[in-house]
Amino acid sequence: MTRYEIRISGYGGQGVITLSKMIVTASSLYEGLAGTQTEAYSAAARGGKCWAEVVIDLDKDIKMIDYPKALEPYDFLIILSQEAAGDIKLNMVKKELNTGFLIWDNSAIQKFRAVKRIDNSLGIPIQKIAVEKFGNIVFGNTILFGVFTVLSGIFSEDSALETIKKFVPSSTLDKNLEAFELGKQQGLSFLKELKEAKA
Amino acid sequence: MSKINSKRFLSPGKHLMMGNVAMSEGALSAGLNYFGGYPITPSTEVIEHLAVRMPQVGGVCMQMEDELASINSVIGASLVGAKSMTATSGPGLSLMVETISMAANLEVPFVFCDVQRNGPGTGFVTEPHHNDIGLVRFSGNGEFQVIALAPMSCQELFDLTITAFNFAELYRCPVFILSDAYLGHLHEVVTIPPKEKILDRVIQRELPPPDEYIKKFTYKDDNTGKYVIPKPPQMGTDYCPGLLLHQPHNYEGLPTPKPMQFMEAIMDKINKNKDKICITESYKLKDADIIIIAYGLPVRASYRAVDIARKEGFKVGIFRLVTVWPFPDEEVMDVVKDAKAIIVPELNYTGYIAEQVERVTKLEIPIIKIPKVCEFHHPDDILKVIKEVAK
């Protein structure tokens, strides 16, 4: 099994779909892995409950993802709204050593029962940091992209940086790179924590 | 032939794009000159994308006042020599059938992209449902044959759209691309070949040499007994059909006193060329005794199910229909002759293709349908059936 299943849930406007496109761009376009991305359509993508899924095949020889939707249990789950958090069950993420990550926004979600019992779960006040430090909620995307790059390790940092250059307006590039670095640091310290906990 | 605008072609290499966009780019590469359409979910991105791209390549993208005007403009554009297409969804298709049958009668080539959504009527607008398979086959009054291709990935939406345009030029019949709400919105990397490679594949719209002008419609060659399909006539040139376009015609475009001969021509030009039109693919069929027959996206779920089942020792394979219409009777018969069972996962309740398989196999082999509506077959759905059948 070399499929890497990713799901991002939140509400429309948070950048759920943009983040999913960044992930598939970095892995498929720059890293050369087969990948698919699907997203919520219609009104949901513009304010309602919104989701996006990405499937990447880590085997370089595979040319096409066989089944284009993300299959449970996921390798990577990102939850950005209270409503989305309510749907999460414990068996939705993989229970393996280096995968099965759950990232959630603890500035937007107050109650999250499942989170305590999922091993590789990390709460980051993404939206709070984005607004306080960078002045706009959309930077949350780049922070998360940084976290994802480090934790998943499915594409190189170079591919990630290329992707950011492709996606963000050039006037905000510096700020976005800063946000990416911040996310990366969050990810790295979380990995360190996990390592220590297991040692 | 005017010079080909190089902006038609994206830079060769990998591009991440949505299915609807990949289809549009395929059409541009194939030489699309006129797009007439009316937006409808889930096909809207096609007209959105072409509204930007068509002016860049010297073509026309027209949003008409409704579906009827769209398809009529497409036929009109094709009759004056433009490669033309429209894109819509089921409700739009049902409004357009009148003109589709006229185009079939006049042998006007055009490509029709049907991004299928749930029905009947309005249905669920954003859900995939292969429920127009029957409608495209019989899309209009009268008898005629159509060609329908079912891609399963964004890459194929690009490649098969070029094939669809070529089929339209060669066989002069309505050519459908059977996409759906899910495939149309799927994002995948599409590898665009170099311009020269694309041009090698594309059949250009050209006038025949003047000494061939006399024959404007399909006819049977008395010497060889084969059907000859001349290049499409173009209004505004000497090579133009007669005025009485609405009646069965002879090869000069005049009303024919032999309707049977005309009928044979427009039906058999497809039937007798099935070997060139019917594109199929086989996956692990060599020793298979359980055979999955599928088209479109359910094929991808089937790949996964078959890979898992093979590991568990089940002898199962896939026969994929890339061309859904005309149905490849002989090939299916050949593939299933030793099968213990046939599984047909379809994204509809009726099982349009399962019915065809039943017809071909004369019900001698058990056929298990796996109907799904609005959501895709999970590989486990297919795996479960494989295991039940193998018992």
Side-chain angles (χ1 to χ4, degrees):
Chain A
M1 290 290 198
T2 47
R3 280 167 63 105
Y4 200 87
E5 327 267 359
I6 304 148
R7 187 181 165 93
I8 308 163
S9 298
Y11 55 80
Q14 279 179 314
V16 167
I17 288 170
T18 310
L19 179 60
S20 69
K21 281 186 184 157
M22 287 170 87
I23 292 171
V24 76
T25 302
S27 1
S28 281
L29 214 50
Y30 296 124
E31 210 69 26
L33 304 167
T36 57
Q37 181 265 359
T38 46
E39 59 194 41
Y41 190 72
S42 78
R46 296 168 184 87
K49 207 170 175 179
C50 181
W51 57 266
E53 291 182 342
V54 181
V55 183
I56 304 294
D57 207 305
L58 303 182
D59 186 344
K60 280 215 170 194
D61 296 333
I62 286 179
K63 294 277 173 281
M64 185 179 76
I65 300 288
D66 43 14
Y67 183 66
K69 289 175 109 163
L71 294 169
E72 286 179 33
Y74 303 116
D75 288 278
F76 216 104
L77 185 58
I78 298 175
I79 302 296
L80 299 176
S81 74
Q82 185 69 54
E83 210 180 1
D87 300 339
I88 303 305
K89 290 179 194 74
L90 289 177
N91 54 7
M92 277 167 91
V93 289
K94 284 188 182 164
K95 288 192 173 43
E96 285 162 37
L97 202 59
N98 294 319
T99 191
F101 291 102
L102 168 73
I103 307 299
W104 59 292
D105 187 338
N106 54 15
S107 65
I109 304 166
Q110 274 74 46
K111 263 202 324 215
F112 200 171
R113 285 200 186 144
V115 75
K116 281 181 195 146
R117 291 168 60 195
I118 293 176
D119 294 340
N120 297 344
S121 73
L122 170 66
I124 311 175
I126 301 144
Q127 285 164 49
K128 207 172 144 205
I129 301 176
V131 173
E132 283 176 3
K133 223 171 164 172
F134 301 103
N136 194 329
I137 193 169
V138 295
F139 287 96
N141 254 333
T142 324
I143 301 174
L144 275 170
F145 190 56
V147 179
F148 183 88
T149 307
V150 169
L151 292 187
S152 72
I154 59 172
F155 49 79
S156 66
E157 202 181 319
D158 287 345
S159 299
L161 292 173
E162 282 298 309
T163 307
I164 294 173
K165 280 179 203 152
K166 192 181 163 80
F167 271 79
V168 306
S170 52
S171 57
T172 65
L173 182 62
D174 289 343
K175 254 181 165 181
N176 272 291
L177 291 177
E178 210 182 305
F180 177 74
E181 191 59 36
L182 193 142
K184 239 180 71 189
Q185 293 310 326
Q186 292 269 4
L188 284 172
S189 64
F190 180 56
L191 276 184
K192 210 173 146 196
E193 258 174 56
L194 282 179
K195 223 175 178 180
E196 280 164 8
K198 268 160 200 164
Chain B
M1 191 68 216
S2 58
K3 208 169 154 274
I4 291 160
N5 191 325
S6 62
K7 284 188 186 151
R8 283 194 174 277
F9 309 97
L10 291 178
S11 58
K14 289 179 168 184
H15 295 259
L16 180 73
M17 53 173 103
M18 181 189 255
N20 280 337
V21 171
M23 202 282 300
S24 312
E25 286 297 336
L28 284 165
S29 300
L32 177 70
N33 287 319
Y34 178 83
F35 179 90
Y38 189 74
I40 177 172
T41 301
S43 76
T44 308
E45 290 81 5
V46 177
I47 190 168
E48 278 178 358
H49 186 72
L50 288 174
V52 177
R53 289 282 278 134
M54 288 300 273
Q56 294 173 357
V57 303
V60 175
C61 174
M62 193 83 160
Q63 180 179 328
M64 302 300 287
E65 65 262 44
D66 59 20
E67 281 83 357
L68 263 176
S70 306
I71 189 74
N72 282 312
S73 71
V74 163
I75 306 306
S78 188
L79 270 173
V80 294
K83 282 194 177 183
S84 51
M85 79 176 292
T86 190
T88 186
S89 188
L93 169 61
S94 69
L95 292 167
M96 292 178 179
V97 290
E98 181 190 26
T99 310
I100 294 173
S101 87
M102 192 194 73
N105 177 16
L106 297 178
E107 305 190 72
V108 183
F110 72 101
V111 172
F112 192 111
C113 179
D114 183 12
V115 190
Q116 298 167 89
R117 75 185 202 192
N118 175 256
T122 319
F124 290 122
V125 296
T126 58
E127 301 294 343
H129 191 166
H130 294 165
N131 54 3
D132 295 338
I133 308 293
L135 180 55
V136 301
R137 168 71 185 82
F138 300 107
S139 49
N141 64 300
E143 290 181 85
F144 56 91
Q145 290 276 19
V146 302
I147 297 173
L149 306 173
M152 64 169 180
S153 65
C154 294
Q155 181 72 49
E156 286 193 353
L157 274 167
F158 179 85
D159 294 336
L160 285 178
T161 303
I162 298 177
T163 310
F165 272 91
N166 285 348
F167 280 167
E169 295 302 311
L170 283 176
Y171 300 105
R172 294 178 54 182
C173 67
V175 180
F176 291 89
I177 297 163
L178 298 168
S179 181
D180 61 61
Y182 191 85
L183 188 57
H185 294 140
L186 183 69
H187 283 75
E188 274 182 318
V189 166
V190 176
T191 308
I192 306 286
K195 179 179 147 186
E196 297 71 30
K197 275 206 168 162
I198 297 175
L199 283 173
D200 275 352
R201 276 189 64 197
V202 173
I203 296 168
Q204 303 293 350
R205 178 76 62 92
E206 282 164 342
L207 289 177
D211 55 329
E212 285 176 27
Y213 271 20
I214 183 118
K215 289 147 187 157
K216 292 159 188 156
F217 291 98
T218 302
Y219 64 95
K220 196 175 191 175
D221 190 310
D222 291 334
N223 298 324
T224 61
K226 282 190 176 162
Y227 286 95
V228 180
I229 311 168
K231 288 181 187 299
Q234 289 182 27
M235 282 180 163
T237 68
D238 294 348
Y239 184 55
C240 169
L243 288 172
L244 295 162
L245 293 171
H246 57 287
Q247 289 175 357
H249 52 75
N250 65 7
Y251 62 75
E252 289 169 352
L254 299 169
T256 174
K258 296 173 185 164
M260 186 62 176
Q261 212 176 47
F262 161 73
M263 204 75 257
E264 279 175 353
I266 66 164
M267 297 293 276
D268 285 349
K269 68 176 176 182
I270 306 295
N271 290 336
K272 304 268 187 227
N273 284 309
K274 270 190 183 181
D275 55 328
K276 295 179 208 100
I277 298 169
C278 291
I279 309 166
T280 57
E281 280 175 15
S282 303
Y283 185 69
K284 301 194 175 173
L285 269 185
K286 219 172 177 185
D287 59 338
D289 55 11
I290 300 168
I291 289 164
I292 297 173
I293 298 181
Y295 57 93
L297 266 173
V299 179
R300 290 172 73 157
S302 305
Y303 279 148
R304 182 156 197 82
V306 165
D307 283 346
I308 299 169
R310 279 270 170 186
K311 274 181 200 155
E312 295 178 24
F314 297 101
K315 286 184 179 166
V316 48
I318 303 168
F319 185 66
R320 177 191 170 203
L321 306 173
V322 180
T323 305
V324 175
W325 304 120
F327 190 77
D329 292 15
E330 292 78 15
E331 274 186 83
V332 170
M333 242 181 322
D334 186 48
V335 163
V336 301
K337 61 179 186 295
D338 300 321
K340 206 164 75 179
I342 303 166
I343 301 171
V344 189
E346 274 188 83
L347 193 60
N348 53 51
Y349 189 76
T350 311
Y352 296 99
I353 290 305
E355 282 175 354
Q356 296 296 319
V357 180
E358 284 170 0
R359 177 178 61 77
V360 169
T361 57
K362 301 183 180 65
L363 296 170
E364 282 160 1
I365 306 165
I367 295 164
I368 299 100
K369 295 182 194 176
I370 314 180
K372 277 268 172 188
V373 174
C374 287
E375 58 163 344
F376 274 99
H377 299 78
H378 191 283
D380 290 350
D381 296 334
I382 299 166
L383 199 61
K384 204 174 106 192
V385 176
I386 294 173
K387 286 178 181 170
E388 273 167 21
V389 170
K391 270 180 199 163

